[in-house]
Structure formats: C-alpha cells, structure tokens
Amino acid sequence: MSHHIEDLIRHWAAKPEDEWVLAVITHVEGSSYRKSGAMMLFHPLGHSVGLISGGCLEADLGRKAQQAMQSQQIVRCQYDASDESDASYQLGCGGIVDLMLVPLTHANQAANLSSLQKLLATEAQGFYLLPLLEHGAPAADFQARVFNHVAAEQVFSVTDFNRAGELILPEPQQLHLTASQSYLVTPVARRKRIAVFGGGIDAQPLVSMALQLGWQVDVVDPRTSYARAHDFAGANLFKCPIDDLPARFCDQLDAVVVMSHNLDLDAQALRLVCHSEIRYLALLGPAHRRERVLNKAELAYEDIDCFFSAPAGLALGGELPSSIALSILSQCHGVLHDAQLVALDRVMK
C-alpha cells in the first residue's frame, strides 16, 4: 500500500463528510522512522490511511484520534523513546516524536485538503502550511494554507524548506491567519511518474515494485501479446505505436525504462524521450547492444540529457527479473531523490 500524500487525500475525498482526523509529525529529536511533516488520516470507524511510524504508534494514535473527534479540539502528544528503560511503546528508534492531531471539519475546511489535491493535480510541487496550535485549541482555528512554488516565495524562502520545518511569521494576518504565528511548512510533490517501454514478463516485477513505491506507471508496448491488462494491474497501458502516443505524453515524466528487447522499439523510445525533461533513463542490455540501439535511433551518448544508465541498474547481483527490477529501481530512486550510494550509518545519526 502506498502512503503518498495523494493516496491520503484520495481516501478522504471519497468520504469528505466523515469525521476524519489528520495526524502530522510536527517535530523530531534524534532518530525516528518518519520525519517532520509525515501525515496519516484516521476515520471514525477505526481504520486509518498512511503511516507515521513503523507500526509502533498507530494503535495509540487511533485512540487519541477518537479523543480529538469527540472534543473537536487539537490534540498534541509526544512519544519519547530516548529512555531505553521505558518499553511503553517499544519504538526502538531512540528518538522523541511530537505530533498534532486535527479533526477535519467544515469550519477548518478539512485542513484545505481539496486545495492540496488541486495543487498536486496541476503542479509538480508546492507547500502545505499548517498552523502549530496548542493542545486543546478549537479545531475551527486550524486554518491550513496551500501554496505553489511561486506564491510560496512571497511568504518565505523556499530553499529553507527542502524538508518540513517550523516557520514563525511576525505578521500572520497578511495570510489571513490569526490563530498562530508558528507554522509547519511541509513541501509536497506529486507522485513520481515512470514510463516502461516494453510489456514482457521481466517488466512485471519492475512495474509492481514501482507501484508499491507509490509511483504512477505507464507501460507502452504495441505488440499484441505484450502488456496485457491482467499482468500490469494498476498501471496505465498504452497499446499503440510509440509514434501514436499522446502529444504531451512526456510531460511530467520523471523516469523511463526501455526494456522491450526489440532494437527498433527501443530506438523509437529513445528518440521520443531523449530531449524531454526526465531525470533518469535506463536501457536494458549490455554495452554493445546500447551502441546498436543508439545507432538505430541516430543518437550519440552525449545527446541524452539526463542520467543515462545503460546497461541499466546497479551491480547488486542476481539475474532473475525481480533482481534486475530491484537494481534498476534502486538506482532510479536514488537519482530522483538526489541520493548518494552510501551506507545509512554514514548519513544517519
């Protein structure tokens, strides 16, 4: 199950009149499973959407969400795992996590989730501004705001908020917000979108893993016996020649994997995407095959503007389709998130 913000909003939008509660991590000290800005939703019937820990806190938060629903007030809470002798929640991460639970009501416009949904449908990224209210404050005072990148620049320096963080506004009335001067600025972005050219058996685990990551996946293959719907449930299938794809197919496309095992189809795919704004391009097959595909596409290696992985993926070992899919998506994920291939003990404190 994906825990992307778009999935949370989709569940809320299916029953917007219900008494949902939004839980958000407002501050983290030390190590924790999720960081500031992580969100989940609780439904009055008991089920939840999203994740704010590795499963340690969700049950207790569900009880606190019921309290917030009944009182129609903000609930603030803290979970402290820094005391190793306290096994209350068995967090295991050793950090301190502060959370805020907010009943979603007509008075607070359901934390402006509808505006956030519209933003993500039209913009690649934006910012979600959440007032940090005290425990027991009326839910009606919770007036969240949504900004696209351009509008956010008029309020704060967006480069200061590559990650969620606290913002203190000296004059919040300029935003028509008077309930708080302290806000949690959470950067939000639409889900990643990857196109897979080739709908063979070896594409199935790659597509499945990408969907599990919460990405939007397009599978392109004009061949009759490939890219069958029951093999790629959840993906968008394009059973047409590459030249007949929609005119704006490459718009908002983040990554492409070319794996049709057909020189002509692979070459057509490279020609289509080589000058788009994708960040990652992978071509399956050894180096000598890469040269043949480039020649057919009438392209040089230097013509590819993005990160070009050919042969595709990282050298993780393994030769079965699942192993190949893992190596490609691991590399793709790292590129899309500006990561370096280093051990976690070198970057986590």
Side-chain angles (χ1 to χ4, degrees):
M1 176 182 178
S2 170
H3 302 294
H4 191 275
I5 184 64
E6 288 185 352
D7 295 303
L8 272 65
I9 298 174
R10 177 170 53 82
H11 279 83
W12 164 80
K15 298 180 178 180
E17 302 302 322
D18 292 355
E19 296 182 330
W20 293 91
V21 170
L22 173 70
V24 56
I25 296 179
T26 58
H27 181 73
V28 169
E29 184 177 333
S31 177
S32 70
Y33 188 83
R34 299 291 307 275
K35 305 303 180 186
S36 296
M39 288 175 269
M40 67 182 301
L41 287 170
F42 291 91
H43 189 267
L45 293 182
H47 65 268
S48 61
V49 186
L51 195 68
I52 51 85
S53 78
C56 319
L57 305 179
E58 279 70 11
D60 188 65
L61 273 178
R63 291 188 286 270
K64 289 182 170 59
Q66 291 293 330
Q67 297 172 12
M69 289 178 201
Q70 293 168 7
S71 67
Q72 290 295 289
Q73 294 178 339
I74 303 297
V75 171
R76 298 292 295 266
C77 57
Q78 183 181 88
Y79 296 93
D80 186 350
S82 60
D83 182 0
E84 295 183 357
S85 64
D86 183 1
S88 301
Y89 299 103
Q90 299 179 339
L91 297 181
C93 57
I96 302 174
V97 181
D98 293 311
L99 294 110
M100 178 171 60
L101 293 96
V102 183
L104 303 185
T105 67
H106 287 293
N108 63 27
Q109 297 179 308
N112 226 351
L113 288 181
S114 59
S115 295
L116 185 57
Q117 186 177 43
K118 292 176 182 176
L119 173 79
L120 294 174
T122 57
E123 303 271 354
Q125 59 183 2
F127 295 88
Y128 195 29
L129 201 67
L130 306 177
L132 295 174
L133 303 185
E134 296 296 326
H135 178 82
D141 289 348
F142 188 86
Q143 300 296 321
R145 292 291 298 274
V146 176
F147 295 93
N148 62 26
H149 196 277
V150 175
E153 282 282 14
Q154 309 303 314
V155 183
F156 53 85
S157 174
V158 297
T159 57
D160 292 339
F161 293 99
N162 293 323
R163 295 183 179 181
E166 187 173 348
L167 171 69
I168 297 177
L169 290 176
E171 298 181 6
Q173 63 272 17
Q174 293 179 354
L175 298 176
H176 307 291
L177 297 174
T178 58
S180 172
Q181 289 186 321
S182 182
Y183 302 87
L184 180 70
V185 179
T186 301
V188 291
R190 59 171 173 77
R191 65 179 75 246
K192 304 299 183 186
R193 177 171 165 241
I194 182 173
V196 180
F197 287 83
I201 294 175
D202 58 341
Q204 294 176 26
L206 188 143
V207 170
S208 177
M209 289 181 192
L211 290 170
Q212 188 68 24
L213 287 170
W215 296 358
Q216 177 184 333
V217 184
D218 301 327
V219 178
V220 181
D221 200 317
R223 296 170 293 185
T224 304
S225 58
Y226 289 76
R228 294 170 295 189
H230 66 274
D231 291 329
F232 295 96
N236 302 315
L237 300 185
F238 292 86
K239 296 285 296 176
C240 62
I242 292 175
D243 291 340
D244 293 340
L245 287 170
R248 303 181 67 88
F249 177 81
C250 293
D251 290 3
Q252 296 189 339
L253 191 60
D254 297 291
V256 169
V257 178
V258 180
M259 53 187 310
S260 72
H261 302 280
N262 179 286
L263 291 175
D264 290 325
L265 291 177
D266 286 358
Q268 292 174 39
L270 288 190
R271 282 198 300 269
L272 176 71
V273 305
C274 69
H275 297 303
S276 66
E277 295 184 2
I278 62 172
R279 296 188 59 193
Y280 177 85
L281 172 61
L283 174 64
L284 208 66
H288 64 81
R289 185 180 185 279
R290 174 193 67 210
E291 300 308 317
R292 294 180 64 190
V293 175
L294 286 171
N295 287 336
K296 271 189 170 292
E298 298 182 344
L299 295 170
Y301 201 94
E302 296 75 19
D303 293 328
I304 310 297
D305 297 329
C306 63
F307 187 103
F308 185 28
S309 180
L314 300 172
L316 301 182
E319 59 182 20
L320 294 178
S322 294
S323 296
I324 295 170
L326 177 63
S327 75
I328 294 173
L329 288 179
S330 296
Q331 185 181 51
C332 179
H333 191 282
V335 171
L336 297 185
H337 289 85
D338 300 311
Q340 296 181 0
L341 189 61
V342 296
L344 279 178
D345 62 3
R346 294 181 58 185
V347 297
M348 291 184 67
K349 303 297 183 184

